[in-house]
Amino acid sequence: MTASAEPRLTDIGPPHYEKYLHPLIKKNYGQWRYHENLAPGVYCHIAESGDRIYTVRAGTPRLLSIQTLRIFAGLADKYSGGYLRFTSRNNLEFLLDDPARIEPLKRELIALGYPVGGTNNAISNIVHTQGWIHCHSSATDASGLVKCVMDAVYDRFTHEDLPAKLRIAVACCLNMCGAVHCSDIAILGVHRLPPKIQPTLTKVCEVPTLIAACPTGAIRPATVDGKNSVAVVEQQCMYCGNCYTVCSAMPMNDADNDGLSIWVGGKVSNARSAPKFSKLAIPFLPNHPPRWPEVVEAVVKIVEVYAQHARKYERVGEWIERIGWPRFFQLTGFEFTRYHIDDFKHAALTYARSAHVRY
Amino acid sequence: MTASAEPRLTDIGPPHYEKYLHPLIKKNYGQWRYHENLAPGVYCHIAESGDRIYTVRAGTPRLLSIQTLRIFAGLADKYSGGYLRFTSRNNLEFLLDDPARIEPLKRELIALGYPVGGTNNAISNIVHTQGWIHCHSSATDASGLVKCVMDAVYDRFTHEDLPAKLRIAVACCLNMCGAVHCSDIAILGVHRLPPKIQPTLTKVCEVPTLIAACPTGAIRPATVDGKNSVAVVEQQCMYCGNCYTVCSAMPMNDADNDGLSIWVGGKVSNARSAPKFSKLAIPFLPNHPPRWPEVVEAVVKIVEVYAQHARKYERVGEWIERIGWPRFFQLTGFEFTRYHIDDFKHAALTYARSAHVRY
Amino acid sequence: MPVFEINGKSYEVDEDGFLQEPERWNHEVATDFAGTEAITNLTEEHWKVIDYIRNYYLEFGMAPMIRKLCKETGHKLSEIYNLFPSGPAKGACKLAGLPKPAGCV
Amino acid sequence: MPVFEINGKSYEVDEDGFLQEPERWNHEVATDFAGTEAITNLTEEHWKVIDYIRNYYLEFGMAPMIRKLCKETGHKLSEIYNLFPSGPAKGACKLAGLPKPAGCV
Amino acid sequence: MPDDNPKTELLDELENGPWPSFVKEVKLAAQTSASAQDLLRQLELSYQEKKGHWKHGGLVGVLGYGGGVIGRYSDAGEQFPNVAHFHTIRVNQPAGWFYTSDALRTICDIWERHGSGLTNMHGSTGDLILLGTRTAELEPTFQELAQAGFDLGGSGSSFRTPSCCVGMARCEWACYDAMKLCYDLTMAYQDEMHRPPFPYKFKLKCAACPNDCVAAIARADLSIIGTWKDEIQVDESAVKTYVSSGLNIQKDVCDLCPTKCMAWDGHKLSIENHECVRCMHCINVMPQALRPGKERGAVIMIGGKAPIMQGALLSSVLIPFVAADELLDTVKELLRRIWDFWDEYGNNRERIGELIQRVGLPAFLDGIGLEPVPEMISAPRDNPYIFYQARKDGEK
Amino acid sequence: MPDDNPKTELLDELENGPWPSFVKEVKLAAQTSASAQDLLRQLELSYQEKKGHWKHGGLVGVLGYGGGVIGRYSDAGEQFPNVAHFHTIRVNQPAGWFYTSDALRTICDIWERHGSGLTNMHGSTGDLILLGTRTAELEPTFQELAQAGFDLGGSGSSFRTPSCCVGMARCEWACYDAMKLCYDLTMAYQDEMHRPPFPYKFKLKCAACPNDCVAAIARADLSIIGTWKDEIQVDESAVKTYVSSGLNIQKDVCDLCPTKCMAWDGHKLSIENHECVRCMHCINVMPQALRPGKERGAVIMIGGKAPIMQGALLSSVLIPFVAADELLDTVKELLRRIWDFWDEYGNNRERIGELIQRVGLPAFLDGIGLEPVPEMISAPRDNPYIFYQARKDGEK
Ligand code: SRM
Ligand code: SRM
Ligand code: SRM
Ligand code: SRM
Ligand code: SF4
Ligand code: SF4
Ligand code: SF4
Ligand code: SF4
Ligand code: SF4
Ligand code: SF4
Ligand code: SF4
Ligand code: SF4
């Protein structure tokens, strides 16, 4: 431990990215002409200069030990001049100037257990969150769900045979760290009981902040033992957990009632249609670690029905909009329930406001 | 006056429509096979039986004197066996079994000043409201506006050369009696000052009802001379007039500040696209009776730009959705202002939520 | 402001004959107004309705909604029209000395 | 519940060292806690901030928002960090005897 | 008859121009009616001042009814005594607005005796409107109308006069008998129309196909929109006739089909009927070749209205399909349940559509005993704020 | 190192299956880290009980900073003392997530000395996350990172670590230099990142074209999305090559163009560029033939966020086009104005998007001094509830 000997440094910001750029990238920065997809997980960008940079992409669990990171560093040294990057979906990318190294790198990655793929019309890595690994709010474990689902759709990562990109996300509570709200398929941890107010509340929480935190106004001021406290109007609570976020004395976790909901049809790209929110497909599935079979089954079902019925280039949401939601429920066999009908602020705008009906 | 001699009748309901049906209609009721448009204002329905009924449609000002109604009755006797009807847009229709009578009837109607047309891809009659003729809330006169606008687009009534139907409506206040909120072009009377609270309020109004009537919560309880009354938070008032509807002591009319707004792109049919609300085109034009030149000019502008640019079968709203609102404002030359941007309840859903931009 | 005169008394009313001096109301006033609403004789049943409306108004500042009126007085709507031929709003509320109701009853 | 001991006194605190006995707070308590937040000496400037936060809390039941704190004490945010190196939330609020603030300061 | 002709410089201007003039109509009426004369005068004043001269609505009516008349007083009654009272009578129109010349004349005669001689043919809701009379004339007018077979329509917090498109009387696309249904429902709810029983107005309109020629979807609390369940009826040879007489079937039909479920291969039109949303466009373009299917009925929609007070609403789907012969019974049962719920939970001046917004569609469906189906929505919720129904601890 | 291997029957199951296992990672770390061992044990307990074991977030950090560390304590600290404290350090990633093997190893070495040896590569916001350490290790870790050239990212009510797509470094579609802009803005707002000054968090993401590979539109308070103003660059012969190698250009390109502004006549692709909304689809399909135009820059969008608390928001257009070379200055000026407004009017824990919703976009535009343009909206208002601005009586 030597740090304390040095003068204290603050506000230096992140390292400049240029330091980490492959020389070929530095040379052709902003001068790329087009790209080609050579194989699942492998693509090649061709510069105006004619230079070519080859990318090999591998899946990771995102949660990585330093041991594994060192292995990746070693692979980079061996194959890509020490240059590598991570993607916005937690995949690993090696940047090669020599196409001959692609296959050996792939082989080594696969041997180490890191699948190559995730490009183009594949299922890429699942964007996810902390879950029971590190977060206080989580209704489920994110990493575990990701592992189970990716095991089940593994071939969709290593192949590019879907109609379009399919992006899955997991978030362990309604805070939705990640992009669950705009994913082709989203798995969302949910609570289903109101917070259990703890007696410590008056000591540890700011009551006005707490009251203001409830989106439905379910939290009312109340006096407990002569102190300012709160009461929860249970019928008005929809279990969002925002009260818990601001006040530790409002815990939500409940082994029997926490579980998962499944959402579909979101996207963020502007390609073709505008970005869309994910919509509710299944309101509740039980938390069944370690393998969450119900969740895996539901996701696989959606993927397979989509793969079978969507047209080329159609994202999940675009496909469903074309065929209509009634057909989506028919094809997947998912039950349509009262929970699917919005009853929050803009609910009325989600009602079917035309006589357009399919039979 | 003999009525009082008879026993008092109530709840008898309207006359049964069958009494008023042309024999050919009675015979072929529910057995029509198709129709043909013979000329503007003239169409023919062909029954499975081969029978044909001819309809001649004429425009009316809706506000009709008994003198005129008797003339219509006379025409019906002369040409259509005494059978006639009115349409859902206040046009008059004569039902003929003899095609030879079409031309003479048309001639006579036109001579009397009642134009034949309004069918197919024409501008039909303007659905409108009471205005200064009979209503207490009106920010303008409906009948006068209709007359001025129809004078200006007269040829569009007697010809069918628009890309699609074009439906105009006028309402004299935000209550929108009629279908202003779903019209291709709508002219809407608006107030622009908050209600002027009258001292009689405490005598003539129900204060709780009044407070509940304000959509923005601008009306607050207040005590005036020891009595329950109200105050208006002027910044929160958007001049809807609902307070006046429930309380005569909150008048809104103001010669200098009342005026008109113009709305476009609504429709009610389910043909092709779903029904749509009309959207704001011009937030304010002055009240200039008797000819309202600014309003007439604006409507004509929209009609002409639409006629020039829209594709066949495209209603105004469908056309604008295709070309985008920025282009609509460019083509019409109307100014885009802060007022066009929604700031009511669902406002955020009207923001442009994608990177889709035309340049 | 129009004036309604009866038996030597005169009341300030609006065009529709609604009393504009709320503080003057009492049973006698109601009786005075009965004739204008095609009622010849105010029975106990009438008073039940009138008093209910009056008390509701004094408590809440407005006329009761029609379903509440029916529920609380035990009358079906048609019976209220039998008692007050011009209806609960125009008839009963007027006799109860309320301002013209805003669409409720 | 963890306990913070100093000069023979002991305070109930949470894991982050925030006082859990709001009623016990006074300037001495603040002084006791100063060392935990890398402050050697509480100056007048410190007290101005601490007292403002404390009073705001007593009045409104919560910590002031950061912009309010800066405005009312006349300090720029960087100055507050100079006074309280662990920052307004962790440092100043702790010394002011507040519960752990919910994201405001 | 007063013989000094009103001076109406501004209004006179509105006798010019090709469109028939309402001013001419008022002047015609003014030949025999003093109130029409004063109306002209007051209107001229409004045109000068850019301001209306009517006082806040009155409360007048006929005995035994709580609606059907819109009370109106002038604020310049001294100046224009003949419109000091100027109430409007709403007369329930015959379904489809069909008349005989005799029927029209009967109305004219009654109105000549009792009112201004001015009418609206028709009001926006659909009523035949008799425009302007004095309080004392209301009851006699009403009884003369009744003797002639006419009754009043709705106003206030009542079941409002239903209206319907021309439907089977003269339209080949009618998927159910809109005029009959409109008439039957009107007759079934005379009480609710004449004696306002609701928290607010309730409007019902019948359109016999999705073209919705009566603008039901935008204006009615309950809309009954005709549609069909089976396949569009195609007359192949008529399709070819359209094409050979110049119709660009690809561009004007297939490309405009909202679900692109039609294809034209140069010879044959094929329709994936299970993708068709029954929008009518293709049928509208080729009435001789295409027709709605044979299994006909209607989609029932709820909640349309103008903006006051939470913003305008378009109707939304409540029952995706009811067979034509079950419509009357189904609608009656449905209305019973809807009105019960509204009665129980509706606020004063809250339309049914706003009530549904406030309590949420799921709660409303529970209340009226309908199962949720995906046809009711354009898309499922996108927010995760789900009110999972109460479970006891430990229970699953 | 403790040598009793944790019993993790349930977790062991997650070492099976083809996808790389996070359990394997924790076990690897556990070889050298006692806290990773206890993490395994506590996680196994969570898997048994279906319940997390972390207490409500702590408030810990390094001196002079108000964020960058997420405090975390176990509620089973006695059972698992090595995760009794288990704080997370957010390290600001290099723009575009580029590393050298050396840089990675430096991080690993520091983290081996001071923490659990576990990381997230990367957090959802973009940070390099060092997962789990004790309070006492925070300051030394921080300073060792700093010496190695790394700094902390944002947390709390601060400017959060910006992130960007790979952009010009390896993408032919980059319409501006996203990595540079991201870096420059990160450096410009070190203070706002490290010393939370706002009512709530503020996120910024840079995507260099409308494909938005960094999901900015959904997750960032300010999104900078690359686009172009002039015409799509077309290489005619490359188009033909695509077609001759089997691309169904009508079906897969023209028909899917959202504005149908492309036409293929069998020989030539024509584009009505003024109708193009820059969606990227055609370019995505034919990267060798089509390219964004030459006049490049970005559309600036505002207000994206997750659902808490008024519902999720997608970003909406604030400035339709800013030229690439003006981006840095424009964004900085814009941020200054936005933050001033937010500071003045924002409630506690109110994101900028929610503030705009609450006060209305027009008021927000006034506040930051931007003119309204129609590109900001998908359609003008449909409700007539217009707040006409105050006029004095008599004034026009
Ligand atoms: C006469 C008529 C306009 C016309 O010239 O045709 C009319 C006239 C009035 N309407 Fe209407 N409405 C008329 C059809 C409509 C329609 C259209 C329809 O029914 O299809 C609407 C929009 C659809 C709807 O109901 O939502 C309509 C929406 C309103 C509203 C706003 C209701 C809402 O929920 O937003 C009010 C305000 C109110 O009810 O307090 C209103 C109120 C009024 C009042 C009673 C004024 C008031 O504030 O109390 C008007 C009396 C005018 C007068 O003095 O004669 N009128 N009103 C229409 C009725 C004629 C008829 O019976 O055929
Ligand atoms: C007579 C009338 C029904 C009635 O019971 O009175 C009627 C009658 C017919 N309508 Fe309609 N429509 C009538 C009001 C409407 C309305 C309501 C309105 O305008 O307020 C609509 C909805 C308008 C809207 O969307 O805003 C309406 C939307 C249609 C459409 C769909 C047009 C579209 O493309 O959106 C058709 C189909 C067509 O024209 O191709 C249609 C077609 C027809 C046909 C061709 C139906 C038929 O086969 O007989 C009739 C002759 C129409 C014509 O004018 O060319 N009718 N039609 C109404 C005449 C009103 C008038 O005097 O102008
Ligand atoms: C670590 C991370 C998840 C992950 O595993 O990647 C994360 C973790 C937490 N987030 Fe998050 N958020 C993380 C990215 C996000 C994102 C995605 C993004 O930034 O692109 C979102 C959605 C976008 C957005 O901000 O709207 C997100 C939306 C939230 C919210 C809801 C905010 C809202 O306005 O709706 C909260 C609640 C709050 O702020 O009080 C929250 C709160 C939290 C807290 C601090 C829990 C809390 O209640 O205070 C979590 C700490 C977990 C822990 O113990 O480690 N986190 N959070 C992500 C940050 C890593 C990084 O710095 O790179
Ligand atoms: C590496 C990465 C950027 C980065 O800085 O890390 C990236 C890189 C590319 N993206 Fe992306 N995208 C990356 C995340 C995204 C995201 C963000 C996300 O998934 O969270 C999106 C938005 C997804 C959404 O809409 O939900 C995204 C939407 C696209 C699209 C639009 C796809 C569509 O049709 O909607 C394209 C165009 C295409 O693929 O045809 C695209 C295309 C590309 C291209 C082909 C661009 C190029 O010419 O280099 C790159 C190779 C893509 C591939 O995987 O085949 N990229 N791309 C990200 C890889 C993530 C991963 O590991 O899977
Ligand atoms: S989604 Fe919820 S539980 Fe998961 S990391 Fe984010 S705040 Fe924590
Ligand atoms: S969980 Fe959400 S809805 Fe329930 S009380 Fe807490 S903040 Fe309110
Ligand atoms: S729109 Fe307004 S002013 Fe016109 S008739 Fe209806 S309520 Fe009266
Ligand atoms: S006019 Fe409308 S917004 Fe203004 S006070 Fe009256 S009810 Fe409220
Ligand atoms: S709604 Fe349909 S059935 Fe009725 S008239 Fe119009 S087109 Fe014919
Ligand atoms: S009715 Fe409409 S949706 Fe159905 S096939 Fe015809 S055009 Fe397409
Ligand atoms: S957002 Fe556009 S420029 Fe950036 S990596 Fe994705 S495709 Fe390339
Ligand atoms: S970028 Fe999109 S909108 Fe523009 S031409 Fe290509 S497909 Fe059409």
Side-chain angles (χ1 to χ4, degrees), chain A residues 272, chain F residues 228 232 253 256-262 271 275-283 290:
Chain A
R272 299 167 306 283
Chain F
W228 65 96
I232 292 178
V253 182
L256 295 179
C257 168
T259 61
K260 308 280 176 297
C261 65
M262 313 197 101
I271 310 181
E275 289 297 337
C276 165
V277 291
R278 281 67 180 163
C279 85
M280 288 295 294
H281 175 71
C282 56
I283 299 174
L290 304 183

Side-chain angles (χ1 to χ4, degrees), chain D residues 14-90:
Chain D
D14 70 4
E15 301 86 352
D16 293 323
F18 281 78
L19 183 68
Q20 300 292 284
E21 305 163 287
E23 54 289 346
R24 275 186 65 188
W25 190 86
N26 57 28
H27 275 207
E28 190 193 321
V29 176
T31 316
D32 285 345
F33 276 76
T36 71
E37 300 308 310
I39 300 169
T40 38
N41 184 18
L42 286 174
T43 65
E44 204 180 309
E45 289 301 294
H46 286 101
W47 288 120
K48 200 164 119 192
V49 173
I50 293 173
D51 286 338
Y52 172 72
I53 293 179
R54 181 73 194 175
N55 291 332
Y56 189 97
Y57 174 71
L58 291 178
E59 184 169 359
F60 298 108
M62 60 200 263
M65 282 172 76
I66 195 74
R67 70 155 184 272
K68 219 173 155 52
L69 177 68
C70 291
K71 216 169 173 178
E72 300 289 329
T73 62
H75 285 303
K76 278 192 281 184
L77 184 53
S78 58
E79 294 165 6
I80 300 213
Y81 274 90
N82 286 339
L83 293 169
F84 301 89
S86 51
K90 184 165 174 302

Side-chain angles (χ1 to χ4, degrees), chain E residues 202 221 302-303 338 342 350-357 364:
Chain E
F202 192 98
D221 298 281
I302 190 156
I338 292 170
W342 191 30
E350 184 175 49
R351 298 280 286 262
I352 191 71
E354 295 193 320
L355 172 60
I356 295 174
Q357 277 204 332
F364 174 70

Side-chain angles (χ1 to χ4, degrees), chain B residues 14 47 119 159 167 195 202 218 238 259 317 334:
Chain B
T119 46
H159 294 72
R167 301 278 148 108
T202 52
M238 43 61 185
F334 297 160

Side-chain angles (χ1 to χ4, degrees), chain C residues 15-16 66-67 77 81 85 90 103, chain E residues 55 58-59 64 73 157 197 343:
Chain C
E15 301 86 352
D16 294 324
I66 195 74
R67 68 156 184 272
L77 184 54
Y81 274 89
K90 183 164 175 302
Chain E
K55 289 213 261 188
L59 197 53
Y73 303 95
S157 294
D343 244 24

